[in-house]
Amino acid sequence: MTPQADLLPGTLDLLILKAVSLGSLHGYGILLRIEQISRGALNIEQGALYPALFRLVRQGLLKASWGTSDNNRRAKYYELTSAGRKRLREERDGWNRLVAAIGSVLGAEPEEM
Amino acid sequence: MKLLAYLRSLASTLFHRAQMDSELDEEFRAHIQRHADNLERSGLPRSDAERRARIAFGAYEKAKEDCREQRAGFWLETLWRDLRFALRLLRKNPAFSSIAILTLALGIGATTAVFSVVDRVLFRSLPYPQDERLVSFGVKAPFEGIEFMLAPEYVVLRSQPGPFESMTSLTPGGADCDITEQNPVRLHCALVESNFLPTFGIHPLLGRDFTREDDRPKAPRVALLSYGLWRSRFARDPKVAGKVLSLGGKPVEIIGVLPSSFEMPTLTSADILLPQALNESALDRTHPQDILRSFGRLKPSVTISQAAAALQPWFQDSLRFVPPQFRAEVSLRVRSLRDRQIEDSRVGAWVLFASVIAVLLLACTNVANLLLVRLGGRQRELAVRSALGASRVRLVRQTLTESLLLTLFGGLAGCVLACILLRVFISIAPQGIARLQQASLDLRVLAFCFMASLISGVFFGIVPALTKPLPESLVGKTARITPRGLFRHTLVTAQIAGSLILLTGAGLLLRSLWRIQNVSTGLEPQHVITAEISLSEYRYPEVPQQLAFFHELEARLNRIPGVGTVAISNSLPPSGTMQATFFVSIEVPGHPHLAEGTGGMVGFRMVTSKYFEALGIPIVRGRSFTEQDRSSTEHPVILSETLAAKMFSNEDPIGKMLRFSTLGSQGPWRTIVGIAANVKNDGLTARADPEFYIPWKDDPETFVRHSYVTILTSLSPATLLPWARSVISGLDPTVPVEFATMTARIGKLTERPRFNAILVSLFAGFALLLAALGIYGVVSFFVTQRTQEIGVRMALGATPLGISRMVLANMARWTVAGAALGLLGSWFCARLLESLLFEVRVHDPMLLASALLLLLAVALLAAWIPARRAARVDPVVALRYE
């Protein structure tokens, strides 16, 4: 099993947006998908997922609607709005820049200083 | 897009709450079920899987709460819930709520009412643009209370560059003027310089202002109407300018109307403004006759002291024309228009303001204390809520909501109280407090009221809410001295100190009032009715006509049955102006001239022979005037005791001669025939000024147009007044008369001190009540908290008396500390009252002691009630208290 890492503050939103961008999902599905993609490396507190979802809905980045799931249970599905798609793009670029910058700092060799 | 999402979320929060909550539950349950399904598939039994799924989900209710918080309008929901909770708490403790609201209402109501008054007097700008640059300036001399300018000096000063952007003048007293068309009316006309309105920054509402041409001595006469006159007499006629008015029988052209906000800088009433038409070419610096009131608008950034310095050269120059012996008593005075207007209301207003702020502070500490006490009772509840996951912020917010709600109620009740108090103030206020009559609860004052309530709400809402509930409280064991206990006691100490200061202040003022009311005026005011009569210039232009009127009036009044004595005089004590001369201008053969100074002013009146009898002034030596003195060529004079002592210290004055001069003209030699007892003339608090009496003469040299009739009668005023009125109107229906009883005239003099004393006593009463409530609250809390301990003590053999003593002793420490502080404060604060006091020592140990005793008695009573409750504690019940 891969060692687990705690989420950096503020990154949960980004992960949710990414998970939902691949297709509309219910809450548990989002959780599963993040675990699946990260191969269980990211530790998400299950209960904490929902306040984040509510926040994203309020901000207009996600749209929620009730539907029926595979085993005929009613479930609330979340999908990305166009604003959400735009936000995901921006956040991802920002994240990549940040990671690259921090990576290059951490990877610096003494002679480059 | 974002906004739309927010609004949709808000709508669902507000209108579909129950649905949202059930959806949340459904979503969470589905989540847990799916997780359990997954776990079951990996081989766990169903029940185990469900349990582990629930654990993995984490705090269910917290997640729900967090989701709710994410919804739009969550704060609204919280607020609503907090409000409902707070209301429920307030309803549950009606005693606490009503005491707190009452306390606040007292504090806020009194503050607002007094602020309304003080605001008018001290702070509100005068109705002139840039009023802070307006000053009154002139010469201060012993014979005139207010600074003035001699007309020729004014003209000299006006021609020099000075500190003023512009300066203007008016003639004091103005002129009586009567509209002599149909419906004759007596009006008051003000005489002003042509640049009067521009200097004060006022523009006529209609028509034009005066020009320099209008102000020339022989110019055609023009007038500006006051708004009130325009409305009442001309029905707001927009074409009034150009019409001709008959004033005192002469035609005057109306050129304009003043705005409704206009008021004279002297605060006198003016129905009509006329140019004063000063004849400048006839003025002579060495023989000044006319005096003016002068006002200036300072140049920007010139201060009052700079202006005074700039006027010094002119003032020194003008002193050349003042007789040398007077020079030392003449000074230059420049002061802001506001200072001139409020004169001696200032100290009173500040005292009022300070005492009311003290009451507000007391009220705030009181409610803080009450809240602290109550929060102490709720420790357990708060600890439980905290343990169940309520956040600190949440608890603080809730406590704040409660105290804000309380202050809001208190503020509303305070506004109602303020309206009532303001009415009371205005109705008991004496005449002459500038602008008091216009004081009203306006928006600004109301805003002050709510700010005061809000600030105090936040203040004492924050203090109790900041303390973290102790986990120990969960068990219910709260009998410990916390730092907050110390804070609470400090508040009580401060309250007692504040109340004591207010009490001594009120005591001083009441004592002073008592002294004033018992001052002997030297008059017998009972059964005396006075009538002030003023004959108009156009109907009685000559002295003989005036004398004939009064002669006939005297005869007719004497014929009324029940009228004992009728006297006429040209002035009347105990207030009001009288003619006066310098002591130095009274000449006595064989007495040396006063070497230096004026010797002060000596007043004199012209009286008929019955004057002394009518007012009950004893003639202590010699004789009174007789009817013969009125027509004879002899010139008798009667001195007051003070004057006799001042002039003839060790000689017998009877039979001596004197003569005096007024306005430069020498009078005849007069024989002293009697000495009359002293009469207070200049208000009750002033010394008895020296004065003398000369007989009312049927002689064309006298000036009697404005005179007083004094009637000593066995009839009641209600019977006599209509009769006397009909007698006067039978003589001439156009003569305005003002009747008053002598008792009322004297009563007027005590109005101002009575007003001050009543107000400060009112506040001292409030303060005492508040202090009592505060002590009661704290001791009650102490008793409730220590019920268990008391029970133990009683079970171990303590007597009820011992318990009461223990409770009281605890309180006594803080009371004594407060009293000591209060005594110290009173010592300092009493000095501020000094100028309001009459014949009362500022630091009166007796007074301090009695104030202290009263306070201690009230404190003891307030502590006694809960202490008695403590003594009645049943040990069995108390030990089960947990």
Side-chain angles (χ1 to χ4, degrees), chain A residues 46-61:
Chain A
Q46 296 192 11
L49 180 70
Y50 288 91
L53 284 171
F54 268 76
R55 184 168 58 241
L56 292 171
V57 169
R58 197 190 69 203
Q59 290 173 352
L61 303 177

Side-chain angles (χ1 to χ4, degrees), chain B residues 853-870:
Chain B
L853 266 179
L854 178 64
L855 184 77
L856 289 181
V858 170
L860 190 73
L861 186 73
W864 178 251
I865 300 168
R868 215 182 38 171
R869 204 166 59 222

Side-chain angles (χ1 to χ4, degrees), chain B residues 55 146 256 275 286 338 479 504-505 527 561 614 616 670 735 738 757 833 839:
Chain B
I55 293 172
I146 304 170
T286 53
R338 179 187 298 278
T504 45
H527 311 298
R670 297 169 190 274
V735 167
E738 219 172 289
L833 288 176
E839 287 186 3

Side-chain angles (χ1 to χ4, degrees), chain B residues 158-174:
Chain B
R158 200 179 52 188
S159 64
Q160 298 169 351
F164 302 114
E165 202 170 83
S166 79
M167 65 162 90
T168 190
S169 64
L170 58 90
T171 304

Side-chain angles (χ1 to χ4, degrees), chain B residues 110-132:
Chain B
T111 321
T112 310
V114 171
F115 185 80
S116 311
V117 171
V118 169
D119 175 53
R120 274 283 164 191
V121 178
L122 290 180
F123 303 125
R124 180 151 309 202
S125 58
L126 309 178
Y128 315 109
Q130 290 171 309
D131 60 306
E132 71 284 348

Side-chain angles (χ1 to χ4, degrees), chain B residues 13-84:
Chain B
T13 316
L14 293 179
F15 307 115
H16 310 291
R17 266 189 43 183
Q19 191 196 339
M20 284 207 69
D21 268 11
S22 68
E23 281 182 2
L24 209 55
D25 266 332
E26 190 179 349
E27 194 176 3
F28 283 11
R29 265 201 309 275
H31 178 116
I32 293 170
Q33 286 305 320
R34 285 206 181 84
H35 194 49
D37 289 352
N38 264 354
L39 292 171
E40 197 179 14
R41 247 174 265 140
S42 68
L44 279 175
R46 180 70 200 176
S47 59
D48 243 17
E50 279 192 4
R51 197 175 63 86
R52 295 213 9 212
R54 270 201 300 277
I55 293 172
F57 189 81
Y60 187 88
E61 285 300 323
K62 173 135 184 353
K64 244 171 104 173
E65 187 69 22
D66 286 349
C67 285
R68 281 200 205 106
E69 276 182 31
Q70 290 306 325
R71 290 200 301 238
F74 172 71
W75 59 273
L76 254 174
E77 202 186 321
T78 328
L79 181 71
W80 176 234
R81 220 159 357 142
D82 283 349
L83 275 178
R84 269 192 328 194

